[in-house]
Amino acid sequence: MRNTAKFTTAVLAAGALTLGLTACGSDKDSASDTTGPLVVAASPTPHAEILDYVKDNLAKDAGLDLEVKEFTDYVTPNTATEDGSVGANYFQTQPYLDEFNKKNGTHIVSVVDVHLEPLGLYSHKVKKADDLKSGATVAVPNDTVNEGRALQLLAANGIITLKDGAGTAATPSDITENPKKLEFKELEAAQTPRSLDDVDAAVVNGNYAIEADLKPAQDALVLESAKGNPNSNLLAVKEGHEDDPRVKKLAKLLNSPEVKKFIEDTYAGAVLPSF
């Protein structure tokens, strides 16, 4: 049985608002007390599932007391890591982390890459990307990095063309050619799979695709390539906590042969080990 505390964005709103107060409060938080359990914030799928595997099968023998807290948004795990409410997080990519730190003045750093979740284009209305009609509506994540990544996916498959240098920060305004005159609907990443009945297609992050019972290797009209992909999901901590012995133990376990096999056996290509 899973022993994981689950948190929703609504429940955590008050906690997120107290970031400044917590940072100025007690020094005895999850991040500074290295003798207590390591509390890790994670997205439910596959991050918390992978952490639960580590907790249930590997942590005890490694001398690691691990506690997993699930979060359903892409903001609170970082603010909680910054203010010390949790000791680490596992949910994001390096480009997203860099952008978050830049925008929010946080000091979160990467510890180790763990896995890649291929981004895919999905539809309940067409079987192939070429079948999208002129003026079709495509939902994309609205956060800077994932929106840029979504547009790069469409560009890599010849659906649109982006101006040179658009990179991971690309937005619809960077589109130079749009033969199908696609209209883009910007949504919170978690909402993109839920929009599939209302739009013609949606670009969905791998973890949300899995939660929505989509099978990326089978269901995606186009799918991100793993080769040379910079968007691996990583374990992260607040700067200065990289040498926490608990964090080092977890990093080693997350890059272990046992976790690699668990990822490959459990997700059948929807999640790929990055080590």
Side-chain angles (χ1 to χ4, degrees):
M1 180 180 292
R2 289 160 59 104
N3 184 21
T4 305
K6 295 189 178 182
F7 292 76
T8 65
T9 304
V11 171
L12 286 163
L17 291 172
T18 62
L19 173 60
L21 292 175
T22 307
C24 299
S26 170
D27 291 333
K28 287 195 144 190
D29 56 33
S30 174
S32 63
D33 180 11
T34 61
T35 62
L38 178 62
V39 183
V40 183
S43 297
T45 306
H47 311 76
E49 294 172 352
I50 294 170
L51 289 170
D52 282 341
Y53 171 79
V54 170
K55 178 179 179 178
D56 295 341
N57 297 277
L58 307 174
K60 183 177 180 180
D61 288 344
L64 174 64
D65 187 359
L66 180 62
E67 181 179 338
V68 185
K69 290 188 176 181
E70 292 186 12
F71 292 76
T72 59
D73 71 300
Y74 283 172
V75 175
T76 318
N78 275 336
T79 58
T81 303
E82 178 76 10
D83 72 22
S85 299
V86 300
N89 68 56
Y90 172 34
F91 78 100
Q92 65 193 319
T93 66
Q94 189 67 54
Y96 180 84
L97 174 57
D98 292 341
E99 184 70 17
F100 190 95
N101 280 333
K102 181 179 177 181
K103 282 188 173 182
N104 296 280
T106 47
H107 309 84
I108 314 298
V109 295
S110 169
V111 176
V112 68
D113 288 343
V114 183
H115 75 267
L116 173 72
E117 300 164 16
L119 205 70
L121 177 69
Y122 300 85
S123 177
H124 285 172
K125 298 177 181 177
V126 298
K127 297 295 184 183
K128 299 184 297 182
D130 288 346
D131 294 338
L132 287 169
K133 296 180 180 179
S134 179
T137 300
V138 178
V140 294
N142 65 1
D143 63 274
T144 302
V145 170
N146 281 304
E147 180 172 52
R149 189 177 165 192
L151 295 175
Q152 291 288 355
L153 170 66
L154 299 181
N157 286 275
I159 298 169
I160 59 172
T161 301
L162 296 170
K163 70 181 181 183
D164 291 341
T168 58
T171 69
S173 65
D174 294 312
I175 297 172
T176 57
E177 295 181 28
N178 184 4
K180 290 183 176 290
K181 298 180 174 57
L182 301 177
E183 297 183 7
F184 294 94
K185 185 173 184 178
E186 297 166 307
L187 300 173
E188 183 181 349
Q191 298 297 324
T192 54
R194 302 170 196 169
S195 73
L196 282 169
D197 289 332
D198 303 314
V199 298
D200 296 291
V203 180
V204 182
N205 291 68
N207 59 317
Y208 292 129
I210 296 167
E211 289 178 15
D213 293 326
L214 295 168
K215 297 178 175 60
Q218 300 174 22
D219 299 335
L221 306 184
V222 296
L223 191 65
E224 225 174 12
S225 171
K227 186 176 181 180
N229 197 307
N231 293 294
S232 290
N233 284 235
L234 50 87
L235 177 70
V237 298
K238 186 175 182 179
E239 188 175 8
H241 295 277
E242 302 95 315
D243 292 329
D244 182 329
R246 302 169 304 168
V247 172
K248 286 187 170 183
K249 288 177 182 177
L250 179 58
K252 184 176 181 179
L253 293 176
L254 285 172
N255 275 188
S256 67
E258 292 89 346
V259 167
K260 183 176 183 180
K261 186 176 187 302
F262 173 77
I263 291 173
E264 292 173 341
D265 291 349
T266 303
Y267 301 108
V271 179
L272 306 171
S274 296
F275 56 93

